[in-house]
């Protein structure tokens, strides 16, 4: 399996521009997570999908951020308009669903390094 | 604030020595996981320990869990230069869905 795929790997944009990050989870995984990692705040969960449905978006910073999962093999995280403080590494992770429910390992993608100038 | 706090924040050891990292958390958990992150890469799962377990081994890794003290430790024995990375604990809270919260991480440097 190719693992979790994220694109682009690097993104440099100017303040005010729209940014779209993409994620393809591991085939067969039912859960998908978007995280943001910065030196100041560490690794933060932004949103969690289960079976393509958003379950917890309490970590989404503000209305400028939105995430979608139109099908089991694709998700997007959009920032519009982007601001310099959004500069971070954004990770997508997926995990399978087992009968035990809460013990699944999360498999992380390589991340998208975003720089907003 | 973060559910998990790792200690120390940074650790530098010689190759062949053992490395111990600690994680403290605040509320009851269902399980605790340890992840490794190499520079510029995503996190990789190392080991999971359930709340009713006290110790678990995987290769050169040994994890302990003390729920009374709300703490866990990760021991890497006979360290190698390739173990140089940041290590994070992640706690899954009791109840609710499988939301895990990551700690602040310990940056380990193993000097050849």
């Amino acid at each position: 399996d190719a693992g979790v795929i994220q694109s682009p790997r690097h993104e440099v944009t100017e303040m005010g521009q729209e940014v779209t990050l993409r994620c393809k989870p591991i085939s067969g995984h039912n859960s998908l997570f978007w995280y943001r990692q910065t030196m100041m705040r560490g690794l933060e969960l932004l949103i969690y999908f289960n079976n393509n449905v958003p379950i917890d978006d309490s970590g989404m910073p503000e209305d400028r951020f939105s995430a979608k999962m139109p099908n089991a093999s694709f998700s997007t995280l959009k920032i519009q308009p982007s601001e310099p403080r959004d500069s971070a590494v954004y990770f997508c992770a997926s995990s399978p669903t087992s009968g035990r429910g809460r013990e699944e390992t999360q498999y992380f993608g390589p991340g998208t390094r975003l720089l907003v100038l | 604030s973060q559910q998990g706090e790792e200690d120390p924040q940074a650790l530098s050891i010689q190759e062949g020595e053992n490395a111990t990292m600690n994680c403290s958390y605040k509320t009851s958990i269902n399980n605790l996981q340890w992840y490794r992150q190499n520079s510029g890469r995503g996190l990789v799962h190392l080991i999971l320990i359930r709340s009713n377990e006290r110790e678990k081994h995987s290769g050169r890794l040994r994890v302990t869990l003390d729920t009374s003290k709300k703490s866990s430790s990760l021991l890497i024995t006979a360290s190698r230069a390739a173990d140089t990375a940041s290590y994070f604990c992640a706690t899954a809270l009791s109840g609710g869905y499988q939301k895990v919260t990551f700690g602040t991480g310990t940056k380990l440097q193993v000097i050849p």
Side-chain angles (χ1 to χ4, degrees):
Chain A
D1 200 316
V4 175
I5 299 172
Q6 290 187 247
S7 65
R9 293 293 309 276
H10 302 273
E11 177 82 25
V12 180
T13 191
E14 292 186 346
M15 183 174 64
Q17 295 298 307
E18 177 180 294
V19 175
T20 299
L21 311 181
R22 297 173 177 80
C23 175
K24 176 178 169 55
I26 293 173
S27 178
H29 283 193
N30 296 66
S31 297
L32 184 139
F33 308 81
W34 282 101
Y35 290 91
R36 177 173 67 177
Q37 186 177 38
T38 61
M39 289 292 292
M40 291 294 294
R41 300 176 66 87
L43 195 65
E44 304 172 278
L45 175 66
L46 300 178
I47 188 168
Y48 158 58
F49 291 89
N50 184 256
N51 291 325
N52 312 336
V53 175
I55 303 298
D56 181 357
D57 64 355
S58 59
M60 295 287 265
E62 48 198 273
D63 292 345
R64 297 185 298 105
F65 286 70
S66 62
K68 294 181 179 179
M69 191 163 187
N71 57 62
S73 59
F74 184 65
S75 177
T76 59
L77 177 68
K78 187 174 292 187
I79 308 172
Q80 167 62 19
S82 59
E83 297 182 3
R85 60 192 169 120
D86 301 330
S87 298
V89 181
Y90 291 81
F91 289 102
C92 175
S94 70
S95 69
T97 298
S98 72
R100 301 294 295 273
R102 289 192 291 274
E103 296 184 354
E104 294 86 3
T105 296
Q106 294 190 24
Y107 296 80
F108 281 74
T112 294
R113 191 172 295 271
L114 173 65
L115 177 61
V116 183
L117 302 173
Chain B
S1 62
Q2 299 271 6
Q3 161 76 335
E5 296 284 340
E6 281 91 338
D7 170 59
Q9 290 189 342
L11 180 62
S12 183
I13 60 173
Q14 295 289 328
E15 197 166 33
E17 294 180 339
N18 295 341
T20 300
M21 288 158 269
N22 303 296
C23 169
S24 59
Y25 56 92
K26 297 178 181 175
T27 59
S28 295
I29 61 172
N30 179 275
N31 65 68
L32 186 145
Q33 304 177 47
W34 284 91
Y35 286 78
R36 182 188 73 224
Q37 183 179 32
N38 290 88
S39 180
R41 309 288 290 273
L43 280 72
V44 175
H45 181 262
L46 295 176
I47 195 166
L48 178 150
I49 187 165
R50 300 185 183 94
S51 59
N52 62 353
E53 297 176 315
R54 292 295 168 259
E55 188 171 312
K56 206 161 183 180
H57 296 255
S58 177
R60 295 184 295 113
L61 305 181
R62 173 178 168 250
V63 170
T64 61
L65 179 64
D66 187 335
T67 53
S68 65
K69 295 181 179 178
K70 292 186 169 59
S71 68
S72 173
S73 68
L74 170 67
L75 169 67
I76 304 174
T77 60
S79 64
R80 305 167 182 168
D83 295 328
T84 295
S86 291
Y87 292 82
F88 294 85
C89 67
T91 49
L93 302 183
S94 296
Y97 75 91
Q98 55 151 22
K99 178 175 182 175
V100 298
T101 304
F102 286 84
T104 52
T106 291
K107 186 170 289 190
L108 173 66
Q109 181 184 27
V110 181
I111 303 168

